[in-house]
Amino acid sequence: MRGVASRPSQRNNTKDSIDVSSDDKNAPEATSFADLGLSEKVLSAVTDAGYTTPTPIQTGAIPHALEGKDILGIAQTGTGKTASFVLPMLTRLEKGRARARMPRTLILEPTRELAAQVEENFIKYGKNSRASVALLIGGVSFDDQLRKLERGVDVLIATPGRLLDHFERGKLLLTGVEILVIDEADRMLDMGFIPDIERICRLLPFSRQTLFFSATMPPEITKLTEQFLHAPVRIEVSRASSTGENIAQRLVKSKSTGWAKRETLRNLIRAEADELKNAIIFCNRKVDVSELFRSLVRHEFDAGALHGDMDQRARTTMLENFRAGKLKLLVASDVAARGLDIPDVSHVFNFDVPIHAEDYVHRIGRTGRAGRKGKAFTIATRADAKYLDAIEKLIGNQFEWHDGDLTTLSGDDAEDEKPKRGRGRATRGGRSSDQAEKPKKPRRGRSKQDEEAAVDRAPSPSSETPDEAASSKPHRAARKDTIRSDNQKRAEKQRPRRGDRDDDAGEVVGFGDDMPAFMKVPAKV
Ligand code: AMP
């Protein structure tokens, strides 16, 4: 294989791994991209993209990736990790040529949207190179991609399910893969892709180089790295913006019924009107995304919806409209909004407190990007205490309440349950109706989409009240596509099919010279 040293017969990632961290005296101290060993063509594209200083993950990974070493990068979206593998790959691909149906490098992404973002990166940084790129993702016709594959591609970006579909149909040979990138491995785990990944790894040449990225390292992921990485250079980058210094985070009390929460949200949006440029509103369940979206439209808010059951065209259009400022409020599920890189979102509203504490960090990270200020409001009911505790533990901060905590809640709901926590949150003593509707904490390894589907089968706490429906005016024509698509998809969806487990589409918008402070935070001790 071109340019990659031959490997010993056993893969082992612990013995020879090199730890690059902020206090590591041997850590490379590159202050400019020119110090990293990238080719002239790539450097010139980076300059044109407006990037002057490499981020810590780029400084740590690029020189080693260029030497052909395996990389274990512990970093999440927003740290500049995509360029940390795209740039050295482009440099290395300048030598050699692709053969028909034999991609030279393979990048595995958990969602369509992330795959599309990586492709954008190749287009941006590869504009002076001749590297050909193909995308194999669910939800889009792949005739063009098949033609590209036939001609030979240097870079194949794929979601695992769709890749295996092609492989099984004999459209693809994986024996020429020199570099494998596994991106967002912990997300792959959440989405149930690990068996597919293991299978793909076994189909690739043993002597390949592997670049592996994950935001967290649960035991299943550690096992995977032990199996498939050889003496990797380990680079750990501080969690991006988990303290959210430029994001004002507040809890907003609400009664637990759906209509009460929607009213709380509407009041909040109206109160924030002066500062609210646009907002993403997160729900835990797809069914609530649809319901909240329809309710907001009825109340004449400029809203759209984004969730995994919508077809690709509807999602792309919705995202484009939101990015272009034609849509003010985007109601979304976690899966649909994962990895979105929209630089200018003024507000995030958590209509539901996320069940996984990590999702909170991902959600609020949609605002306050590129050094801007952002606001994140989380609507909290008495049943959310346990989830709020987990989030506070993760972010290492205590929440502030927007206008008084749950003890100040008036009416029946306040009398139902007495708060048992100092700051007004109830611990889960009795079983309220709201608690009964909460999904069980999902196990690791269970598909996140399975999980969303499971909670969708539970009764919705948020049925529209007659009052609410009557007080609002229809606004339906504008959003007809989404509603139709919701219904169609709901009917046809039983369980996620292989090629369909991946998600949305989007476009990468760079930070230019405006690198946010968190991206400069050096590697973690
Ligand atoms: P990622 O972590 O790959 O999702 O990148 C997050 C954002 O940072 C993207 O919009 C990139 O275009 C941008 N970015 C990547 N590298 C740099 C850099 N060295 N300086 C400034 N922005 C960057």
Side-chain angles (χ1 to χ4, degrees):
M1 197 183 61
R2 282 168 292 251
V4 179
S6 63
R7 304 293 175 123
S9 61
Q10 282 272 301
R11 286 191 183 272
N12 178 340
N13 79 324
T14 46
K15 219 167 74 199
D16 305 318
S17 66
I18 307 165
D19 221 333
V20 179
S21 57
S22 58
D23 58 347
D24 188 338
K25 306 281 178 296
N26 301 318
E29 283 199 13
T31 47
S32 85
F33 281 101
D35 299 332
L36 300 178
L38 295 164
S39 72
E40 285 306 319
K41 286 177 184 166
V42 172
L43 278 177
S44 138
V46 169
T47 308
D48 291 350
Y51 302 144
T52 48
T53 318
T55 65
I57 186 82
Q58 292 163 358
T59 309
I62 292 173
H64 298 290
L66 286 170
E67 284 171 24
K69 288 184 181 148
D70 282 3
I71 303 280
L72 169 55
I74 305 171
Q76 67 176 44
T77 313
T79 54
K81 74 172 162 61
T82 315
S84 78
F85 59 82
V86 171
L87 302 182
M89 282 173 80
L90 280 168
T91 298
R92 295 194 66 198
L93 284 167
E94 283 175 20
K95 288 198 193 102
R97 279 189 57 196
R99 283 189 282 162
R101 287 192 289 156
M102 290 181 75
R104 294 175 65 197
T105 62
L106 172 65
I107 300 173
L108 295 176
E109 293 289 336
T111 67
R112 299 169 201 170
E113 195 269 338
L114 284 172
Q117 279 188 189
V118 171
E119 187 192 30
E120 291 287 331
N121 273 250
F122 271 99
I123 293 167
K124 181 163 66 177
Y125 302 125
K127 63 179 202 171
N128 306 318
S129 320
R130 280 183 321 173
S132 53
V133 184
L135 202 57
L136 278 189
I137 55 175
V140 287
S141 143
F142 41 68
D143 281 358
D144 283 353
Q145 305 303 336
L146 274 183
R147 270 195 293 279
K148 272 193 185 175
L149 274 179
E150 285 292 338
R151 284 201 300 269
V153 291
D154 294 296
V155 183
L156 181 61
I157 308 165
T159 49
R162 185 51 67 105
L163 181 90
L164 284 172
D165 282 350
H166 277 263
F167 181 79
E168 279 156 14
R169 285 184 215 170
K171 306 281 184 202
L172 198 61
L173 285 168
L174 295 173
T175 45
V177 173
E178 299 163 40
I179 304 173
L180 166 70
V181 178
I182 300 176
D183 195 18
E184 303 266 334
D186 51 353
R187 288 294 179 192
M188 302 266 201
L189 175 68
D190 281 344
M191 297 175 82
F193 281 144
I194 297 303
D196 287 352
I197 304 272
E198 287 175 332
R199 220 187 122 205
I200 293 166
C201 283
R202 293 201 178 94
L203 296 170
L204 300 176
F206 180 76
S207 55
R208 67 173 189 272
Q209 176 185 15
T210 307
L211 311 176
F212 190 102
F213 294 87
S214 190
T216 55
M217 289 298 287
E220 296 92 329
I221 296 296
T222 304
K223 221 173 113 197
L224 199 66
T225 61
E226 283 165 0
Q227 229 179 329
F228 295 112
L229 294 182
H230 167 69
V233 179
R234 187 178 191 275
I235 302 127
E236 186 170 351
V237 169
S238 304
R239 175 168 283 280
S241 197
S242 59
T243 48
E245 276 149 27
N246 49 339
I247 305 170
Q249 303 170 55
R250 298 283 180 275
L251 290 184
V252 184
K253 64 175 181 287
S254 174
K255 295 178 186 179
S256 53
T257 53
W259 68 264
K261 285 173 79 176
R262 287 196 296 274
E263 191 180 33
T264 306
L265 177 71
R266 290 195 296 273
N267 291 338
L268 204 51
I269 295 172
R270 287 183 189 119
E272 286 293 306
D274 289 348
E275 287 178 47
L276 194 146
K277 182 173 170 280
N278 55 3
I280 303 181
I281 305 166
F282 284 96
C283 298
N284 288 352
R285 321 188 318 164
K286 283 181 285 190
V287 71
D288 291 335
V289 170
S290 301
E291 191 158 16
L292 178 59
F293 151 68
R294 281 192 280 259
S295 165
L296 286 168
V297 170
R298 273 196 289 272
H299 283 268
E300 300 194 324
F301 286 93
D302 180 19
L306 194 70
H307 62 71
D309 279 358
M310 287 162 63
D311 68 39
Q312 190 62 34
R313 234 188 71 212
R315 288 193 296 187
T316 308
T317 312
M318 198 60 81
L319 261 180
E320 273 167 10
N321 287 344
F322 187 66
R323 278 205 173 95
K326 293 181 198 157
L327 187 68
K328 204 159 187 172
L329 307 173
L330 185 66
V331 190
S333 66
D334 289 292
V335 172
R338 180 170 299 161
L340 290 186
D341 190 18
I342 304 169
D344 200 5
V345 175
S346 71
H347 285 63
V348 163
F349 296 102
N350 290 317
F351 182 73
D352 300 306
V353 176
I355 295 160
H356 299 283
E358 281 184 9
D359 284 337
Y360 177 82
V361 180
H362 287 290
R363 288 181 183 187
I364 69 160
R366 305 301 107 210
T367 183
R369 286 174 91 83
R372 295 182 175 88
K373 291 226 176 291
K375 279 189 164 183
F377 291 97
T378 300
I379 297 179
T381 70
R382 293 189 187 289
D384 293 321
K386 178 173 144 188
Y387 303 113
L388 292 171
D389 283 343
I391 295 168
E392 285 183 341
K393 212 183 259 173
L394 180 74
I395 64 175
N397 251 329
Q398 288 212 329
F399 281 116
E400 278 180 44
W401 291 89
H402 179 54
D403 51 2
D405 61 30
L406 286 162
T407 51
T408 62
L409 206 57
S410 60
D412 297 346
D413 206 66
E415 275 147 35
D416 280 354
E417 288 174 79
K418 292 274 178 274
K420 295 178 185 103
R421 229 183 103 145
R423 286 181 298 123
R425 254 178 255 153
T427 50
R428 301 185 129 211
R431 233 180 121 69
S432 72
S433 59
D434 206 39
Q435 286 165 329
E437 282 154 0
K438 284 277 174 206
K440 285 204 182 83
K441 200 174 174 171
R443 279 174 289 117
R444 268 272 181 199
R446 186 181 175 189
S447 148
K448 181 112 186 169
Q449 264 136 328
D450 282 348
E451 195 183 294
E452 280 193 358
V455 286
D456 275 351
R457 285 193 290 273
S460 165
S462 45
S463 310
E464 198 86 28
T465 59
D467 267 6
E468 205 177 17
S471 69
S472 57
K473 292 191 185 114
H475 222 241
R476 285 175 191 131
R479 313 283 173 238
K480 216 163 61 192
D481 270 4
T482 318
I483 295 171
R484 196 184 320 119
S485 143
D486 285 353
N487 293 338
Q488 266 171 10
K489 290 286 178 171
R490 196 175 305 130
E492 85 190 24
K493 178 130 178 161
Q494 289 303 317
R495 64 180 185 85
R497 279 166 296 160
R498 179 176 265 174
D500 288 346
R501 282 179 295 181
D502 43 19
D503 231 82
D504 1 283
E507 116 197 7
V508 171
V509 182
F511 292 156
D513 287 332
D514 236 357
M515 200 203 295
F518 73 78
M519 289 181 74
K520 296 179 189 158
V521 174
K524 199 171 149 192
V525 179

